[in-house]
Amino acid sequence: MGQLLNLVQATFFLNKFSFCDGPKLLRQKSCSYVANYAQLQIYHGLQLPLKGVVVGRVDSLFIYFLSSILHCKVVPVQFISCDMPSKMEVLENADIFLLENLSEFKEEVANCSKFAQMLSSGVDIFVNDCFSHSHKILASTVGVARFCHSCVAGFHFEENLCQLKKVAETSRNPYVAVIGGDNLFDKAAALHFLASKCDGLVFVGKMSFQIMHALGISVPLEFVEYRALKEALDIVQFAQNRDVQILCPKDFWCKNDRFPGQLELFPAHGILDGWLPVDLGPMSLDEINSLLAKCKKIVWIGPVKFSNTNQHTNGASKLAQMFDLLSQSNCDVTVVGNMACKVIMQESSSVSDFNMLENGSVAWEFLKGRKLPGVMALDREYPFEINWNATYSDPMQPLVVDIGSGNGLFILGMASKRKNLNFLGLEINEKLVRRSLDSVRRSGIKNGYFIATNATTTFRSIVSSYPGELILVSIQCPNPDFNKPEYRWRMLQKTLVEAVVDILTSDGKVFLQSDIEAVAVRMRKQFLKYGKGKLSVVHDQGDAKCSGGWLEENPFEVRSDWEQHVVDRGAPMYRSMLSKSTGVE
């Protein structure tokens, strides 16, 4: 049975399609591919031109083109609902369903779980290449990740994320941010961030009046955003404390509705009543050019815009020409926002010299320090760089890893008791990790540490770089809601088991426990099933006794916070100890 493809957002849900000549990552039974850019690269350089496609009936020629290029039967779907799977039997012979615009469905924007589950039906690997929607919580980009075995970023998504992260880097100086647009109140946190990284801030949009007002420059009060007075003052004070240069326009081209078609040049502090600024003046552009000529790195974010028009101004064109020359002189230029990117493409002689991010909303959310939902939904398998020498006093000591360390009581207790071992807690809840690290600092422990991460997908990346041996991995009392068989997004998955078994030293141990027997049974079965034949259940843990196939006591005599809670109420714990076969690496 085929799956779904959303044309405008370009979401491909493929079932029978095998990427035989493509990346090994996609050689699976089925996968989902989400994209939102002009040229969609599938494999071997194949490009599907999606630019200019509009909502409406899908052209039959385009359907034929897709079918012939992909060598799959593509069938357009005019309607989709949560009840659709039961009505899809008529499309049994389709390889790909093409859906015109998911944004029209309320279930999409509401991140409806049932809708997301329906979209991901039959999908094993979810590939998100729709970076422009990564700041939104949508069923097709966030919701579907719950129901897929693996969720990864596409090439375009990863490239844009890397470019966005470069904005925060200060490897090249002088570094100047050219800031357009308005709404300083909502963007105050992002401006603080830029002021903390840059050597200069150049304001070229409506926001400039707010900054000029905070600097004590006289401007027409109708241009001032009163709810942002405090934020503007704070930004100016912060920048001045860091000796960051602030540059605002010195003059403006202005219009008056009483004199249509006529433009007059006014100094920024002397705009007459009835005149509205529409563009940067020549003095402003000359001053900006003088400052930027010294720069090695520039980020331009937000339009040169002072009215409600969608047309870029002459000042924007002049800025683009400046950036074009600078990019050819070994200056790193990043352009953010649809209007800014559009004018660069019109004015630049070599667009490839720029780092371009078309969706400004994503960048503003990132600069505010907020986590992007579309990024957080994906598996974080990027390499972790950990300075083990700074983490532990002796990084060559054997390592014990607790997956889902919670409040950290097990790691802290074990680290205090066994000074000859190093202990690492991996926990997805950042607040709990911060508390645990505070406890480490207060207690002076030198052999305990915690990392905030999704261990399901980062265990191998983190632990494989440790210089000593991994002798024990524990998973204790995982949330049962995350381990139900119907949830393919559960914590304990095949990839995690395989990573543990691959890195675990010979005769290393895996300790599993839960207060819910079904969860304990399932965890043990998963390790035995995906342990590559290298794991076996052991019962000879010193004085520990077994009953019904379970260890009666905790062999380490140090309890996790939840285990202590269960024991205090007199409920049973279900414990297993597995061992990696001696001599097997």
Side-chain angles (χ1 to χ4, degrees), residues 496-548:
L496 176 59
V497 174
E498 290 178 340
V500 170
V501 172
D502 287 344
I503 302 173
L504 196 65
T505 188
S506 176
D507 202 33
K509 302 297 190 291
V510 176
F511 178 58
L512 308 171
Q513 70 169 342
S514 174
D515 58 321
I516 299 175
E517 187 174 11
V519 172
V521 168
R522 188 177 182 283
M523 286 197 296
R524 186 164 65 183
K525 285 183 176 179
Q526 290 291 91
F527 269 93
L528 294 175
K529 179 179 180 180
Y530 299 122
K532 303 180 180 181
K534 300 178 182 181
L535 295 177
S536 59
V537 178
V538 293
H539 303 289
D540 55 342
Q541 295 303 307
D543 297 329
K545 298 179 181 179
C546 291
S547 176

Side-chain angles (χ1 to χ4, degrees), residues 16 58 78 101 147-148 163 193 198 262 297 315 386 421:
K16 297 178 182 177
V58 181
Q78 301 296 330
N101 193 356
F147 305 103
C148 297
Q163 288 181 359
F193 178 82
C198 298
Q262 181 178 336
K297 183 174 180 178
I386 299 174
L421 302 176

Side-chain angles (χ1 to χ4, degrees), residues 5 16 113 144 177 270 296 308 348 363 378 395 410 466 475 480 500 509 523 548 565:
L5 182 151
K16 297 178 182 177
S113 180
V144 297
K296 293 298 181 183
N308 294 325
S348 173
L378 302 177
F410 178 75
Y466 184 73
I475 302 178
V500 170
K509 302 297 190 291
M523 286 197 296
H565 171 73

Side-chain angles (χ1 to χ4, degrees), residues 178-279:
V178 179
I179 304 163
D182 55 4
N183 200 355
L184 185 144
F185 182 81
D186 288 339
K187 297 172 181 174
L191 296 177
H192 267 283
F193 178 82
L194 290 172
S196 72
K197 297 291 183 180
C198 298
D199 304 298
L201 303 178
V202 179
F203 291 90
V204 294
K206 278 186 177 180
M207 247 187 279
S208 59
F209 293 103
Q210 195 70 45
I211 298 298
M212 284 190 283
H213 183 70
L215 289 168
I217 300 172
S218 176
V219 294
L221 295 181
E222 61 265 31
F223 302 152
V224 176
E225 184 185 351
Y226 283 97
R227 66 172 182 162
L229 292 176
K230 180 181 182 303
E231 285 73 13
L233 288 169
D234 289 345
I235 291 166
V236 168
Q237 186 63 54
F238 180 77
Q240 290 176 341
N241 290 342
R242 286 198 66 247
D243 199 26
V244 174
Q245 183 176 355
I246 297 178
L247 190 63
C248 292
K250 294 295 188 292
D251 56 350
F252 293 96
W253 288 106
C254 300
K255 70 174 184 178
N256 191 316
D257 290 340
R258 294 171 55 194
F259 308 103
Q262 181 178 336
L263 294 178
E264 290 289 339
L265 188 65
F266 290 97
H269 62 276
I271 300 176
L272 299 180
D273 290 343
W275 291 87
L276 297 175
V278 294
D279 203 356

